Amino acid sequence: MAEGNVAADQLRLFIERIERLEEEKKSMADDVRDVYAEAKSNGYDTKTMRKIVALRRMETHVRQEADALLDTYRNALGLA
Amino acid sequence: MAEGNVAADQLRLFIERIERLEEEKKSMADDVRDVYAEAKSNGYDTKTMRKIVALRRMETHVRQEADALLDTYRNALGLA
Amino acid sequence: MAEGNVAADQLRLFIERIERLEEEKKSMADDVRDVYAEAKSNGYDTKTMRKIVALRRMETHVRQEADALLDTYRNALGLA
Amino acid sequence: MAEGNVAADQLRLFIERIERLEEEKKSMADDVRDVYAEAKSNGYDTKTMRKIVALRRMETHVRQEADALLDTYRNALGLA
DNA sequence: ACGTTTGCGCTTTAGC
DNA sequence: GCTAAAGCGCAAACGT
């Protein structure tokens, strides 16, 4: 079949794009792991570091949610 | 079999306890749904309410994580 | 203000009712977790148990769907 | 303090590297999400696609396990 | 090295 | 029907 199965080809391309992205994602995760290992070899406590990272992420998230709530109030009250 | 299959009976009891608890959990979820509906019928905007609940939950969580981080520091430094 | 801010009070009460229910819901989830742990300490495989629970839930759901269908038929035929 | 707090600075740099990597990881996850959305708009069923990706990942994993086992045998037999 | 515990990603569910 | 959030299961990471 010279024209190929277009739909199947398209699906395959989508799948491959996803798999490629997931490989990159995994690569990033591995890099994170390496940084923790490097920090550990420099005498830092990784458990503490992980909690710091988690806390900072949560605080950022809370801030964003608070802003979103404020926007919701404004809209509910018709204040621009 | 007068003595019964003890292991099977025990497993069945565990399963039934789990199923009972999950029913209660679902019941609680239904109740939450009802409260939102009641609030809505009293003129409140449920979307805003949900954001408020979510924000309060997150703030509580951040506070708990901050405390946990402090404990981690204490342990890492050997301060009781 | 002796009369208080009625609307704000009412909203606060709704929020608190929701939060209380969600705490109970979480408590039920924790109990489920505990039962699985107890079963595990008695030598049962929790992964298998979870599959059993999921399967029974599906069967229950299927049964309910069949009953609902039967009701639909009855209504359509005017049979109470 | 011209010399700065070296340890604190080093820790901060580690944290920032981690946070940067996690942002990139999240970016990849968002891209994956976008590809699924694009596939969906082209008429594909994303749930099925996810199953295909999971299946292929498992097969890859199985293959890797088999290769690892083969290496173990080789080492055990002293065959480099 | 193993078992426990926590964090992360996915799946499923609820709301709009 | 779709989108967003929450609960669940899994897997990595820590401690023993």
Side-chain angles (χ1 to χ4, degrees), chain B residues 25-77:
Chain B
K25 194 175 64 173
K26 189 180 187 307
S27 179
M28 295 298 108
D30 290 344
D31 288 350
V32 168
R33 186 189 171 90
D34 291 344
V35 176
Y36 275 115
E38 188 183 343
K40 188 172 197 170
S41 72
N42 277 272
Y44 295 100
D45 177 60
T46 56
K47 186 172 181 179
T48 301
M49 286 180 67
R50 287 177 188 279
K51 279 194 183 299
I52 292 170
V53 171
L55 184 57
R56 283 165 59 102
R57 177 168 41 209
M58 287 177 71
E59 284 169 343
T60 300
H61 196 183
V62 166
R63 178 60 177 270
Q64 289 169 343
E65 285 297 311
D67 289 347
L69 178 58
L70 190 55
D71 283 349
T72 302
Y73 279 145
R74 283 185 179 132
N75 287 325
L77 298 173

Short mmCIF file of all heavy atoms in Angstrom, two decimals, chain B residues 25-77:
data_model
loop_
_atom_site.label_atom_id
_atom_site.label_comp_id
_atom_site.label_asym_id
_atom_site.label_seq_id
_atom_site.Cartn_x
_atom_site.Cartn_y
_atom_site.Cartn_z
N LYS B 25 -17.78 6.25 54.03
CA LYS B 25 -17.02 7.30 53.39
C LYS B 25 -17.85 7.95 52.27
O LYS B 25 -17.92 9.18 52.16
CB LYS B 25 -15.72 6.72 52.82
CG LYS B 25 -14.71 7.75 52.43
CD LYS B 25 -13.40 7.12 51.98
CE LYS B 25 -13.57 6.29 50.74
NZ LYS B 25 -12.28 5.80 50.19
N LYS B 26 -18.47 7.12 51.49
CA LYS B 26 -19.31 7.61 50.40
C LYS B 26 -20.48 8.42 50.96
O LYS B 26 -20.88 9.44 50.39
CB LYS B 26 -19.84 6.45 49.56
CG LYS B 26 -20.53 6.91 48.29
CD LYS B 26 -21.06 5.76 47.47
CE LYS B 26 -21.58 6.25 46.13
NZ LYS B 26 -22.56 7.35 46.27
N SER B 27 -21.02 7.95 52.08
CA SER B 27 -22.12 8.66 52.72
C SER B 27 -21.69 10.07 53.13
O SER B 27 -22.43 11.04 52.94
CB SER B 27 -22.59 7.87 53.95
OG SER B 27 -23.64 8.54 54.61
N MET B 28 -20.48 10.18 53.66
CA MET B 28 -19.95 11.49 54.05
C MET B 28 -19.82 12.39 52.81
O MET B 28 -20.18 13.56 52.85
CB MET B 28 -18.56 11.34 54.69
CG MET B 28 -18.52 10.59 56.00
SD MET B 28 -19.47 11.41 57.31
CE MET B 28 -20.87 10.28 57.45
N ALA B 29 -19.34 11.82 51.72
CA ALA B 29 -19.19 12.58 50.48
C ALA B 29 -20.55 13.09 50.00
O ALA B 29 -20.67 14.23 49.54
CB ALA B 29 -18.53 11.71 49.42
N ASP B 30 -21.56 12.24 50.13
CA ASP B 30 -22.91 12.64 49.73
C ASP B 30 -23.41 13.78 50.61
O ASP B 30 -24.08 14.70 50.14
CB ASP B 30 -23.87 11.44 49.84
CG ASP B 30 -23.59 10.39 48.77
OD1 ASP B 30 -22.89 10.72 47.79
OD2 ASP B 30 -24.07 9.26 48.90
N ASP B 31 -23.09 13.70 51.90
CA ASP B 31 -23.51 14.75 52.82
C ASP B 31 -22.86 16.09 52.45
O ASP B 31 -23.51 17.13 52.50
CB ASP B 31 -23.12 14.38 54.27
CG ASP B 31 -23.98 13.25 54.82
OD1 ASP B 31 -24.99 12.91 54.16
OD2 ASP B 31 -23.67 12.71 55.90
N VAL B 32 -21.59 16.03 52.08
CA VAL B 32 -20.90 17.25 51.67
C VAL B 32 -21.65 17.86 50.49
O VAL B 32 -21.91 19.07 50.45
CB VAL B 32 -19.43 16.95 51.27
CG1 VAL B 32 -18.81 18.15 50.56
CG2 VAL B 32 -18.61 16.57 52.49
N ARG B 33 -21.97 17.01 49.55
CA ARG B 33 -22.71 17.44 48.36
C ARG B 33 -24.02 18.12 48.77
O ARG B 33 -24.38 19.17 48.21
CB ARG B 33 -23.00 16.19 47.52
CG ARG B 33 -23.64 16.46 46.19
CD ARG B 33 -24.05 15.10 45.57
NE ARG B 33 -24.86 15.27 44.39
CZ ARG B 33 -24.37 15.37 43.16
NH1 ARG B 33 -23.07 15.32 42.97
NH2 ARG B 33 -25.16 15.54 42.13
N ASP B 34 -24.70 17.54 49.74
CA ASP B 34 -25.97 18.10 50.20
C ASP B 34 -25.80 19.49 50.82
O ASP B 34 -26.63 20.37 50.62
CB ASP B 34 -26.63 17.16 51.21
CG ASP B 34 -27.12 15.88 50.57
OD1 ASP B 34 -27.24 15.86 49.33
OD2 ASP B 34 -27.39 14.91 51.30
N VAL B 35 -24.74 19.64 51.59
CA VAL B 35 -24.51 20.94 52.24
C VAL B 35 -24.27 22.02 51.19
O VAL B 35 -24.81 23.12 51.28
CB VAL B 35 -23.31 20.88 53.21
CG1 VAL B 35 -23.04 22.27 53.79
CG2 VAL B 35 -23.59 19.89 54.34
N TYR B 36 -23.48 21.69 50.16
CA TYR B 36 -23.25 22.65 49.08
C TYR B 36 -24.58 23.01 48.42
O TYR B 36 -24.85 24.18 48.12
CB TYR B 36 -22.28 22.07 48.04
CG TYR B 36 -20.82 22.27 48.39
CD1 TYR B 36 -20.00 21.18 48.65
CD2 TYR B 36 -20.26 23.55 48.46
CE1 TYR B 36 -18.65 21.35 48.96
CE2 TYR B 36 -18.92 23.73 48.78
CZ TYR B 36 -18.12 22.63 49.03
OH TYR B 36 -16.80 22.81 49.34
N ALA B 37 -25.41 22.02 48.21
CA ALA B 37 -26.71 22.26 47.57
C ALA B 37 -27.57 23.17 48.45
O ALA B 37 -28.23 24.09 47.95
CB ALA B 37 -27.42 20.93 47.34
N GLU B 38 -27.54 22.91 49.75
CA GLU B 38 -28.31 23.74 50.68
C GLU B 38 -27.81 25.18 50.68
O GLU B 38 -28.60 26.13 50.67
CB GLU B 38 -28.20 23.13 52.09
CG GLU B 38 -29.12 23.79 53.11
CD GLU B 38 -28.91 23.22 54.50
OE1 GLU B 38 -28.31 22.11 54.59
OE2 GLU B 38 -29.31 23.88 55.48
N ALA B 39 -26.50 25.33 50.67
CA ALA B 39 -25.90 26.67 50.64
C ALA B 39 -26.31 27.39 49.35
O ALA B 39 -26.64 28.58 49.36
CB ALA B 39 -24.39 26.57 50.74
N LYS B 40 -26.30 26.65 48.26
CA LYS B 40 -26.66 27.22 46.97
C LYS B 40 -28.10 27.73 47.00
O LYS B 40 -28.39 28.83 46.51
CB LYS B 40 -26.50 26.18 45.87
CG LYS B 40 -26.67 26.73 44.47
CD LYS B 40 -26.31 25.68 43.43
CE LYS B 40 -26.08 26.31 42.07
NZ LYS B 40 -25.49 25.34 41.11
N SER B 41 -28.99 26.95 47.60
CA SER B 41 -30.40 27.34 47.68
C SER B 41 -30.60 28.52 48.61
O SER B 41 -31.65 29.15 48.62
CB SER B 41 -31.25 26.15 48.14
OG SER B 41 -31.03 25.89 49.51
N ASN B 42 -29.57 28.83 49.40
CA ASN B 42 -29.62 30.01 50.26
C ASN B 42 -28.90 31.20 49.62
O ASN B 42 -28.63 32.20 50.28
CB ASN B 42 -28.98 29.70 51.62
CG ASN B 42 -29.96 29.01 52.58
OD1 ASN B 42 -30.69 29.66 53.31
ND2 ASN B 42 -30.00 27.68 52.52
N GLY B 43 -28.59 31.03 48.35
CA GLY B 43 -28.02 32.13 47.61
C GLY B 43 -26.51 32.24 47.56
O GLY B 43 -25.97 33.21 47.03
N TYR B 44 -25.81 31.25 48.11
CA TYR B 44 -24.35 31.31 48.09
C TYR B 44 -23.79 30.71 46.82
O TYR B 44 -24.37 29.79 46.23
CB TYR B 44 -23.76 30.61 49.31
CG TYR B 44 -24.12 31.30 50.59
CD1 TYR B 44 -25.16 30.84 51.40
CD2 TYR B 44 -23.44 32.47 50.97
CE1 TYR B 44 -25.51 31.51 52.56
CE2 TYR B 44 -23.78 33.14 52.14
CZ TYR B 44 -24.82 32.66 52.92
OH TYR B 44 -25.17 33.32 54.06
N ASP B 45 -22.64 31.22 46.40
CA ASP B 45 -21.97 30.72 45.21
C ASP B 45 -21.06 29.56 45.61
O ASP B 45 -20.06 29.74 46.31
CB ASP B 45 -21.17 31.85 44.56
CG ASP B 45 -20.39 31.37 43.35
OD1 ASP B 45 -21.03 30.89 42.39
OD2 ASP B 45 -19.15 31.43 43.37
N THR B 46 -21.41 28.37 45.15
CA THR B 46 -20.66 27.18 45.58
C THR B 46 -19.23 27.15 45.05
O THR B 46 -18.34 26.62 45.70
CB THR B 46 -21.38 25.90 45.13
OG1 THR B 46 -21.58 25.93 43.72
CG2 THR B 46 -22.73 25.78 45.82
N LYS B 47 -19.02 27.73 43.90
CA LYS B 47 -17.66 27.73 43.36
C LYS B 47 -16.72 28.49 44.28
O LYS B 47 -15.61 28.03 44.59
CB LYS B 47 -17.65 28.37 41.96
CG LYS B 47 -16.30 28.28 41.28
CD LYS B 47 -16.39 28.76 39.83
CE LYS B 47 -15.03 28.65 39.14
NZ LYS B 47 -15.10 29.08 37.73
N THR B 48 -17.21 29.63 44.75
CA THR B 48 -16.42 30.42 45.69
C THR B 48 -16.22 29.64 46.99
O THR B 48 -15.11 29.59 47.53
CB THR B 48 -17.13 31.75 46.01
OG1 THR B 48 -17.32 32.48 44.79
CG2 THR B 48 -16.30 32.60 46.97
N MET B 49 -17.30 29.01 47.45
CA MET B 49 -17.20 28.23 48.68
C MET B 49 -16.15 27.13 48.56
O MET B 49 -15.36 26.90 49.47
CB MET B 49 -18.55 27.61 49.02
CG MET B 49 -19.56 28.60 49.55
SD MET B 49 -21.15 27.80 49.92
CE MET B 49 -20.72 26.74 51.30
N ARG B 50 -16.16 26.46 47.41
CA ARG B 50 -15.18 25.38 47.22
C ARG B 50 -13.76 25.92 47.25
O ARG B 50 -12.84 25.27 47.77
CB ARG B 50 -15.45 24.65 45.90
CG ARG B 50 -16.68 23.77 45.96
CD ARG B 50 -16.99 23.09 44.63
NE ARG B 50 -18.26 22.41 44.69
CZ ARG B 50 -18.45 21.21 45.21
NH1 ARG B 50 -17.43 20.55 45.72
NH2 ARG B 50 -19.64 20.67 45.26
N LYS B 51 -13.57 27.10 46.68
CA LYS B 51 -12.23 27.68 46.70
C LYS B 51 -11.82 28.03 48.13
O LYS B 51 -10.67 27.85 48.52
CB LYS B 51 -12.18 28.94 45.82
CG LYS B 51 -12.01 28.62 44.34
CD LYS B 51 -11.63 29.86 43.55
CE LYS B 51 -11.54 29.53 42.06
NZ LYS B 51 -10.50 28.51 41.77
N ILE B 52 -12.77 28.53 48.90
CA ILE B 52 -12.48 28.86 50.29
C ILE B 52 -12.06 27.61 51.06
O ILE B 52 -11.04 27.60 51.75
CB ILE B 52 -13.72 29.50 50.98
CG1 ILE B 52 -14.00 30.89 50.38
CG2 ILE B 52 -13.51 29.60 52.49
CD1 ILE B 52 -15.33 31.49 50.83
N VAL B 53 -12.84 26.56 50.90
CA VAL B 53 -12.54 25.30 51.59
C VAL B 53 -11.16 24.78 51.16
O VAL B 53 -10.35 24.38 52.00
CB VAL B 53 -13.62 24.24 51.29
CG1 VAL B 53 -13.20 22.88 51.82
CG2 VAL B 53 -14.94 24.66 51.90
N ALA B 54 -10.91 24.83 49.86
CA ALA B 54 -9.62 24.34 49.35
C ALA B 54 -8.47 25.16 49.90
O ALA B 54 -7.44 24.61 50.31
CB ALA B 54 -9.62 24.38 47.82
N LEU B 55 -8.65 26.47 49.92
CA LEU B 55 -7.59 27.36 50.42
C LEU B 55 -7.30 27.11 51.90
O LEU B 55 -6.14 27.00 52.30
CB LEU B 55 -7.98 28.82 50.20
CG LEU B 55 -6.92 29.86 50.57
CD1 LEU B 55 -5.62 29.62 49.82
CD2 LEU B 55 -7.43 31.27 50.27
N ARG B 56 -8.36 26.99 52.69
CA ARG B 56 -8.17 26.73 54.12
C ARG B 56 -7.47 25.40 54.35
O ARG B 56 -6.59 25.28 55.22
CB ARG B 56 -9.54 26.73 54.83
CG ARG B 56 -10.10 28.13 55.04
CD ARG B 56 -11.56 28.11 55.40
NE ARG B 56 -11.89 27.37 56.59
CZ ARG B 56 -12.15 27.91 57.79
NH1 ARG B 56 -12.10 29.22 57.93
NH2 ARG B 56 -12.46 27.17 58.82
N ARG B 57 -7.82 24.41 53.55
CA ARG B 57 -7.18 23.09 53.68
C ARG B 57 -5.68 23.20 53.34
O ARG B 57 -4.83 22.64 54.04
CB ARG B 57 -7.87 22.11 52.73
CG ARG B 57 -7.24 20.73 52.73
CD ARG B 57 -8.12 19.74 52.00
NE ARG B 57 -8.69 20.33 50.79
CZ ARG B 57 -9.84 20.01 50.24
NH1 ARG B 57 -10.60 19.10 50.81
NH2 ARG B 57 -10.26 20.56 49.14
N MET B 58 -5.39 23.95 52.27
CA MET B 58 -4.00 24.11 51.87
C MET B 58 -3.19 24.85 52.92
O MET B 58 -2.05 24.49 53.21
CB MET B 58 -3.92 24.85 50.53
CG MET B 58 -4.36 24.01 49.35
SD MET B 58 -4.35 24.93 47.81
CE MET B 58 -2.58 25.09 47.58
N GLU B 59 -3.79 25.90 53.48
CA GLU B 59 -3.07 26.67 54.50
C GLU B 59 -2.77 25.80 55.72
O GLU B 59 -1.68 25.88 56.29
CB GLU B 59 -3.89 27.90 54.90
CG GLU B 59 -3.85 29.01 53.84
CD GLU B 59 -4.86 30.11 54.11
OE1 GLU B 59 -5.79 29.88 54.90
OE2 GLU B 59 -4.74 31.20 53.50
N THR B 60 -3.74 24.99 56.09
CA THR B 60 -3.52 24.07 57.21
C THR B 60 -2.37 23.11 56.89
O THR B 60 -1.49 22.88 57.72
CB THR B 60 -4.80 23.23 57.47
OG1 THR B 60 -5.87 24.12 57.79
CG2 THR B 60 -4.59 22.26 58.62
N HIS B 61 -2.40 22.63 55.66
CA HIS B 61 -1.38 21.69 55.23
C HIS B 61 0.01 22.33 55.25
O HIS B 61 1.00 21.74 55.71
CB HIS B 61 -1.72 21.17 53.84
CG HIS B 61 -0.97 19.94 53.46
ND1 HIS B 61 -1.07 19.34 52.23
CD2 HIS B 61 -0.08 19.17 54.14
CE1 HIS B 61 -0.30 18.28 52.18
NE2 HIS B 61 0.31 18.15 53.33
N VAL B 62 0.09 23.57 54.74
CA VAL B 62 1.38 24.28 54.73
C VAL B 62 1.89 24.44 56.16
O VAL B 62 3.08 24.22 56.43
CB VAL B 62 1.23 25.67 54.06
CG1 VAL B 62 2.44 26.53 54.35
CG2 VAL B 62 1.05 25.50 52.56
N ARG B 63 1.01 24.80 57.04
CA ARG B 63 1.39 24.97 58.44
C ARG B 63 1.96 23.67 59.01
O ARG B 63 3.01 23.67 59.66
CB ARG B 63 0.16 25.43 59.25
CG ARG B 63 0.42 25.61 60.73
CD ARG B 63 1.51 26.66 60.98
NE ARG B 63 1.72 26.91 62.39
CZ ARG B 63 1.07 27.82 63.09
NH1 ARG B 63 0.18 28.60 62.50
NH2 ARG B 63 1.32 28.00 64.37
N GLN B 64 1.28 22.57 58.71
CA GLN B 64 1.74 21.27 59.21
C GLN B 64 3.11 20.91 58.63
O GLN B 64 3.98 20.38 59.33
CB GLN B 64 0.72 20.19 58.84
CG GLN B 64 -0.57 20.30 59.65
CD GLN B 64 -1.67 19.40 59.11
OE1 GLN B 64 -1.60 18.93 57.97
NE2 GLN B 64 -2.69 19.16 59.92
N GLU B 65 3.29 21.20 57.34
CA GLU B 65 4.57 20.89 56.70
C GLU B 65 5.69 21.73 57.28
O GLU B 65 6.82 21.27 57.44
CB GLU B 65 4.46 21.11 55.19
CG GLU B 65 3.67 20.04 54.47
CD GLU B 65 4.32 18.67 54.58
OE1 GLU B 65 5.52 18.56 54.31
OE2 GLU B 65 3.62 17.71 54.95
N ALA B 66 5.37 23.00 57.57
CA ALA B 66 6.37 23.89 58.17
C ALA B 66 6.81 23.35 59.52
O ALA B 66 8.00 23.33 59.84
CB ALA B 66 5.80 25.30 58.31
N ASP B 67 5.86 22.88 60.30
CA ASP B 67 6.18 22.29 61.60
C ASP B 67 7.04 21.04 61.42
O ASP B 67 8.00 20.81 62.16
CB ASP B 67 4.89 21.93 62.36
CG ASP B 67 4.14 23.16 62.84
OD1 ASP B 67 4.73 24.26 62.82
OD2 ASP B 67 2.97 23.03 63.23
N ALA B 68 6.68 20.24 60.43
CA ALA B 68 7.44 19.01 60.16
C ALA B 68 8.87 19.33 59.77
O ALA B 68 9.81 18.65 60.18
CB ALA B 68 6.75 18.21 59.05
N LEU B 69 9.03 20.39 58.97
CA LEU B 69 10.37 20.79 58.56
C LEU B 69 11.19 21.20 59.77
O LEU B 69 12.37 20.85 59.90
CB LEU B 69 10.28 21.96 57.56
CG LEU B 69 11.62 22.52 57.07
CD1 LEU B 69 12.45 21.43 56.40
CD2 LEU B 69 11.38 23.67 56.11
N LEU B 70 10.56 21.92 60.68
CA LEU B 70 11.24 22.35 61.90
C LEU B 70 11.72 21.14 62.69
O LEU B 70 12.86 21.10 63.17
CB LEU B 70 10.27 23.19 62.75
CG LEU B 70 10.86 23.93 63.95
CD1 LEU B 70 12.03 24.81 63.50
CD2 LEU B 70 9.80 24.75 64.64
N ASP B 71 10.85 20.15 62.79
CA ASP B 71 11.23 18.91 63.48
C ASP B 71 12.42 18.24 62.78
O ASP B 71 13.34 17.73 63.43
CB ASP B 71 10.05 17.93 63.52
CG ASP B 71 9.03 18.33 64.58
OD1 ASP B 71 9.34 19.21 65.40
OD2 ASP B 71 7.93 17.75 64.59
N THR B 72 12.37 18.24 61.46
CA THR B 72 13.46 17.63 60.70
C THR B 72 14.77 18.35 61.00
O THR B 72 15.81 17.72 61.21
CB THR B 72 13.16 17.71 59.20
OG1 THR B 72 11.92 17.06 58.94
CG2 THR B 72 14.27 17.02 58.40
N TYR B 73 14.73 19.67 61.04
CA TYR B 73 15.92 20.45 61.38
C TYR B 73 16.44 20.03 62.74
O TYR B 73 17.62 19.78 62.93
CB TYR B 73 15.58 21.95 61.43
CG TYR B 73 15.55 22.62 60.08
CD1 TYR B 73 14.64 23.64 59.83
CD2 TYR B 73 16.44 22.28 59.06
CE1 TYR B 73 14.60 24.28 58.61
CE2 TYR B 73 16.42 22.92 57.85
CZ TYR B 73 15.49 23.92 57.62
OH TYR B 73 15.47 24.57 56.41
N ARG B 74 15.52 19.97 63.70
CA ARG B 74 15.92 19.61 65.07
C ARG B 74 16.60 18.26 65.11
O ARG B 74 17.64 18.09 65.74
CB ARG B 74 14.68 19.58 65.98
CG ARG B 74 14.19 20.97 66.39
CD ARG B 74 13.05 20.87 67.38
NE ARG B 74 12.58 22.19 67.81
CZ ARG B 74 11.31 22.56 67.84
NH1 ARG B 74 10.37 21.73 67.46
NH2 ARG B 74 10.98 23.77 68.25
N ASN B 75 16.01 17.30 64.42
CA ASN B 75 16.60 15.97 64.39
C ASN B 75 17.96 15.98 63.72
O ASN B 75 18.91 15.36 64.20
CB ASN B 75 15.66 14.99 63.66
CG ASN B 75 14.44 14.66 64.49
OD1 ASN B 75 14.53 14.58 65.71
ND2 ASN B 75 13.31 14.47 63.83
N ALA B 76 18.03 16.70 62.58
CA ALA B 76 19.29 16.76 61.85
C ALA B 76 20.39 17.38 62.70
O ALA B 76 21.56 17.01 62.60
CB ALA B 76 19.10 17.56 60.57
N LEU B 77 20.02 18.31 63.56
CA LEU B 77 21.00 19.00 64.41
C LEU B 77 21.13 18.34 65.77
O LEU B 77 21.92 18.79 66.60
CB LEU B 77 20.58 20.46 64.58
CG LEU B 77 20.52 21.27 63.28
CD1 LEU B 77 19.94 22.65 63.53
CD2 LEU B 77 21.93 21.40 62.68
#
